[in-house]
Amino acid sequence: MRVLPRGRLSYGMQLPVQSQSTLYAEPWEAAAGPAELLAVARAADRLGFAYLAVCDHVAIPRRLAAAMGTVWYDPVATLGWLAAATERVRLLSHVAVAALRHPLLTAKQYATLDQLSGGRLILGVGAGHVREEFDALGVDFARRGALLDETVDALKAALGPEEFPDFRGERFAFSGLGQAPRPLQTPRPPLWIGGSSPAAVRRAAHRGDGWLPQGDPRDRLPGQIARLRALRDEAGIDEPAEIGAITEPLYVGEPGWGVGRRTLAGAPERLAESLRAYAAMGVDQIQVRFRCRDHTELTDQMAAFAADVAPHLDD
């Protein structure tokens, strides 16, 4: 179930402000809010970005708050709000911790989002990693992988073409229960699997329409992609998975301020040449993040990327 154009390297981005982990949030985001979030989303829609992505955490334990922060906007509410303010950009949960919720509840939320957005949903799901969230919600953290596997299978049924879907699993079972509105996309919205562990790659290969690795470095990606494809072939799945990658931080042009040694900065031609290496590995879409000191610099960077870098990604 492919949603991105074939034969080209698409690009999307994680929204700022919505999640504020110290691993990637810029200092200005702490004082930002809906206005900045909306401006960035509208810029992405206007500039040809393939998708906007948002993260999912219900509550952050005190032991992790210094690193992860506690600002994590709800993905369904955020994407639903942005759906009304945008027209073409796809809306991705990267990722929803799907095992925390009953699949019928998740299906109801995201089917509604797909319908209201004109069929722009990409449902990205992952296993999660914060034990206290699972404990607080009464979900077995130790079994989250197996639970996610079953949840994905249940979601495929619940988001499919049947108004009264049937599913029977070890934990979840439903039959004779109708849900409407149905998703606008048929036979269902695409379902991408997040994570880079062996179990996550296997899950993406066997159950996903796409794979969302979690920051695998360039030297590790080719091996991961080869394993995913081999597992998919062994399972007899003919449709290739749409493969993603998270790039290094970017800055188009000469920054004139300290953007960090890991940042890929400089002339657009240099950036495009470097990013084309992802396509050569077999990546279908890259998730980009720009270094910036305020939301205006961010939207300027997005515009420069769309105008001067993106046209050369497929050279």
Side-chain angles (χ1 to χ4, degrees):
M1 183 181 299
R2 190 177 182 93
V3 294
L4 300 175
R6 294 184 184 274
R8 57 175 293 192
L9 185 62
S10 297
Y11 56 95
M13 66 179 290
Q14 193 92 20
L15 281 168
V17 181
Q18 179 265 336
S19 64
Q20 296 189 26
S21 167
T22 59
L23 291 176
Y24 49 74
E26 298 284 4
W28 63 267
E29 295 180 49
E36 291 82 3
L37 192 61
L38 185 61
V40 174
R42 283 177 167 162
D45 192 49
R46 182 176 68 251
L47 294 168
F49 282 67
Y51 63 77
L52 298 169
V54 300
C55 299
D56 179 28
H57 278 291
V58 173
I60 306 301
R62 196 177 297 275
R63 71 178 177 87
L64 296 176
M68 293 181 63
T70 58
V71 178
W72 296 82
Y73 288 36
D74 178 79
V76 178
T78 304
L79 291 175
W81 178 61
L82 293 175
T86 55
E87 296 180 353
R88 51 149 300 278
V89 68
R90 283 191 170 266
L91 308 168
L92 168 65
S93 57
H94 187 181
V95 288
V97 186
L100 290 176
R101 305 167 180 90
H102 193 288
L104 283 180
L105 174 60
T106 299
K108 167 60 75 173
Q109 294 174 314
Y110 283 99
T112 303
L113 174 58
D114 194 60
Q115 181 67 228
L116 292 176
S117 68
R120 290 189 278 145
L121 169 68
I122 302 172
L123 178 54
V125 300
H129 65 94
V130 179
R131 177 182 290 274
E132 288 90 337
E133 281 186 305
F134 285 77
D135 293 344
L137 296 173
V139 182
D140 187 349
F141 179 78
R143 295 193 68 249
R144 67 193 185 281
L147 183 56
L148 178 58
D149 287 344
E150 185 173 323
T151 298
V152 170
D153 294 342
L155 283 171
K156 287 182 176 180
L159 290 169
E162 298 299 325
E163 183 179 354
F164 293 85
D166 288 303
F167 179 80
R168 303 211 175 279
E170 180 181 333
R171 172 160 179 165
F172 304 116
F174 45 85
S175 179
L177 295 171
Q179 286 190 327
R182 305 304 301 154
L184 191 62
Q185 297 179 82
T186 56
R188 59 172 173 77
L191 213 157
W192 291 358
I193 308 295
S196 293
S197 69
V201 174
R202 183 170 59 251
R203 185 176 300 119
H206 291 169
R207 289 179 162 86
D209 302 309
W211 177 47
L212 297 164
Q214 293 299 106
D216 293 71
R218 291 196 189 205
D219 60 355
R220 189 166 181 246
L221 264 176
Q224 292 276 70
I225 293 170
R227 180 170 179 270
L228 183 145
R229 287 174 170 168
L231 288 168
R232 207 165 175 86
D233 288 342
E234 290 170 10
I237 302 172
D238 295 329
E239 181 70 18
E242 294 194 273
I243 295 171
I246 300 175
T247 74
E248 303 84 352
L250 304 178
Y251 195 93
V252 185
E254 298 302 328
W257 59 284
V259 296
R261 63 181 181 82
R262 287 191 62 251
T263 299
L264 182 59
E269 298 82 4
R270 175 175 179 266
L271 270 61
E273 180 181 10
S274 180
L275 295 174
R276 285 196 295 269
Y278 285 103
M281 298 176 197
V283 169
D284 298 293
Q285 62 86 7
I286 51 175
Q287 186 172 121
V288 295
R289 180 178 290 274
F290 302 97
R291 294 302 319 275
C292 53
R293 292 164 291 182
D294 54 38
H295 87 276
T296 300
E297 186 171 25
L298 174 54
T299 54
D300 287 346
Q301 280 289 298
M302 293 166 63
F305 182 89
D308 302 325
V309 180
H312 303 290
L313 290 178
D314 303 309
D315 288 354

